Amino acid sequence: MVNKYRLYWTLQIGGWLVYALLQIGYSVDAAGTISVRRVIFLVIEALLCLILTHFFRRFANRGRWLNLNMARLIPRILAGVVVLSLIIYFLKIPVSLLL
């Protein structure tokens, strides 16, 4: 039997780790090099995304979104994506300024 809790965290951490590594790889490919500050920024960005998507999942589970029909689910998902994007954007600003 698959442990859903372990699978969730494996996919969550693995997915955001792959995201960070791809961003680092693209930065190196585009500029030919990458600064330590840029790597730190990208790792922090991935951690912020991991935390926020985890809390979004908890919010959606508490609201029983998976029990909704598509007509009610899609607007909630779209609104959630917009809200998460804005939160991530505004959280990245102070990180960028510090680095």
Side-chain angles (χ1 to χ4, degrees):
M1 187 75 172
V2 175
N3 181 339
K4 289 183 181 183
Y5 180 79
R6 186 174 184 178
L7 178 63
Y8 166 76
W9 280 109
T10 300
L11 293 173
Q12 183 78 323
I13 292 169
W16 288 115
L17 180 62
V18 167
Y19 170 81
L21 292 174
L22 285 173
Q23 291 286 66
I24 291 167
Y26 290 139
S27 293
V28 170
D29 187 49
T33 185
I34 190 168
S35 70
V36 172
R37 288 181 181 185
R38 180 76 177 148
V39 171
I40 292 170
F41 175 81
L42 293 171
V43 169
I44 291 172
E45 178 186 36
L47 286 171
L48 288 172
C49 291
L50 183 145
I51 292 165
L52 288 172
T53 55
H54 173 68
F55 283 109
F56 180 69
R57 177 182 178 266
R58 288 181 63 181
F59 176 78
N61 282 341
R62 285 188 181 161
R64 302 186 188 276
W65 288 16
L66 293 179
N67 296 332
L68 298 174
N69 63 32
M70 286 296 172
R72 295 187 70 195
L73 178 62
I74 290 173
R76 290 176 192 221
I77 295 293
L78 293 175
V81 167
V82 170
V83 169
L84 282 176
S85 299
L86 289 171
I87 291 170
I88 289 169
Y89 175 78
F90 285 109
L91 287 176
K92 287 174 20 176
I93 291 172
V95 173
S96 181
L97 292 174
L98 287 172
L99 295 173

